[in-house]
Each structure stands twice: as structure tokens, then as C-alpha cells.
Amino acid sequence: TAKFSIGPTVENRQIYAVKISDNPDVNESATEAPIYFDALHHAREPQSMACMMYYIYWLLENYGTNPEATYLLNNREIFFVPVMNVDGYVYNQTTNPNGGGNWRKNRRNNGAGNFGIDLNRNYDYGWGENSGSSNDPSSETYRGPSAASEPETQAVKLFLAQINPKISFTMHSAEGRYL
């Protein structure tokens, strides 16, 4: 399909998705199991988006010639959100136009000079259990003031409720500073 918005970010940018299928403009969820992919929850992991884009291109370029790609697109509705954390990604592009931006979270102003919620830790499931997340707004793993407090996670939750995927896959990548 043409790209479509699943909702706005905290800075009012759009979070875009696409659907790839043999009949992308038709709802075939009753006969073709929906699958959901997203990437770039963490703004400093652009390789996750690049891997997703290469997979999208592979599916599109190999449909009709590769049996696996053809089977997938004939029998599934596949939804992709390549950039979940749009604001953080734009921030890295702005502050480091030649690459290497290390901003991780979204761009929520938490006050006292602290910015950002770790969107990957802002979902309802397990929120606040303190395992791998922090309640400190200055932390890189700050989970936010409440579960699904961010418009980005709300958009994904609503979209997932709408398409009801049978499989969901979130792509992450090693951060450049650790390589």
C-alpha cells in the first residue's frame, strides 16, 4: 500500500506503516493471518530500520519469482512500521547529520532538563516491574510516568488491536558505540 499513518508522535510527527500482500488494498485477515513488524524503538539503532527495509525490498522484488516470497505474500497480510521512534531519529539526524547520534528515547520533555521515554519499556506488559527499566527520568531506560503514557506506544497498541496479528516481530540492533 501507500504509506499510512498509525498515529502521531509526542512532537506531532506521523508514524508511518505499509502493508504488503498480494491484495494490499483488501482486508483479507479472515483468510490470511496478519503479521506485524516494527523497528527503531531506539533512535540510535538505525540498522534495525535498514534491515527491515531490505526485507521489504526482498519481498517486493522476489514476488512471483521466489517461491518463499510468493507464498508469504499470497498467504499473509504483512504490516511494517520501519520507524517507531520518529522524533528520536529526527533528533539524531539534526544533532549529528553525518551519523553517530546516540539519542535513544523519544523526545518527551520530562522537566528539569530531562528528555525522553524509552518507548520499548513503555508498553503495558510488565510495566513498572523494574526489570530492565528505570523510574528515573534521566535514565536511558526510563519507562515513563505510566504504562503506555506515550502517543507512540498508544498508536502501536491501537494499530495492533485493529489488525490482530498472529505474529509480531520487533527489530533491534547493536548500537554503534559498542562495536
Side-chain angles (χ1 to χ4, degrees):
T1 61
K3 69 182 181 182
F4 57 92
S5 176
I6 64 167
T9 66
V10 73
E11 293 183 337
N12 208 31
R13 292 184 177 90
Q14 297 306 304
I15 303 167
Y16 288 111
V18 296
K19 174 184 166 186
I20 300 177
S21 181
D22 59 339
N23 296 302
D25 295 320
V26 177
N27 182 348
E28 298 177 302
S29 61
T31 58
E32 295 184 2
I35 299 173
Y36 172 80
F37 288 86
D38 66 33
L40 213 72
H41 270 80
H42 299 131
R44 64 184 177 207
E45 299 179 13
Q47 187 60 40
S48 66
M49 172 193 53
C51 287
M52 178 179 290
M53 296 304 295
Y54 280 117
Y55 183 55
I56 290 170
Y57 292 139
W58 182 85
L59 286 169
L60 295 171
E61 291 171 352
N62 288 283
Y63 179 71
T65 59
N66 178 289
E68 184 177 353
T70 303
Y71 177 85
L72 286 170
L73 295 181
N74 284 345
N75 294 283
R76 299 290 182 266
E77 295 184 310
I78 308 176
F79 296 88
F80 295 92
V81 175
V83 181
M84 164 65 179
N85 185 355
V86 181
D87 297 340
Y89 189 59
V90 168
Y91 180 77
N92 278 339
Q93 288 176 321
T94 303
T95 60
N96 294 275
N98 295 320
N102 276 326
W103 188 258
R104 174 185 172 102
K105 304 181 286 184
N106 76 354
R107 294 298 298 161
R108 164 82 60 204
N109 184 343
N110 298 316
N114 294 307
F115 284 83
I117 309 294
D118 184 335
L119 297 174
N120 195 50
R121 287 157 174 79
N122 187 244
Y123 291 100
D124 297 19
Y125 182 81
W127 187 91
E129 293 178 1
N130 294 328
S131 177
S133 71
S134 173
N135 63 357
D136 178 357
S138 67
S139 170
E140 297 231 321
T141 59
Y142 177 51
R143 62 181 169 261
S146 61
S149 61
E150 301 311 291
E152 296 92 340
T153 51
Q154 291 170 22
V156 168
K157 280 183 54 174
L158 290 171
F159 185 61
L160 291 175
Q162 178 186 359
I163 65 170
N164 192 27
K166 302 303 175 208
I167 298 171
S168 294
F169 188 85
T170 295
M171 298 178 126
H172 289 265
S173 63
E175 299 160 3
R177 65 187 178 154
Y178 297 119
L179 299 177

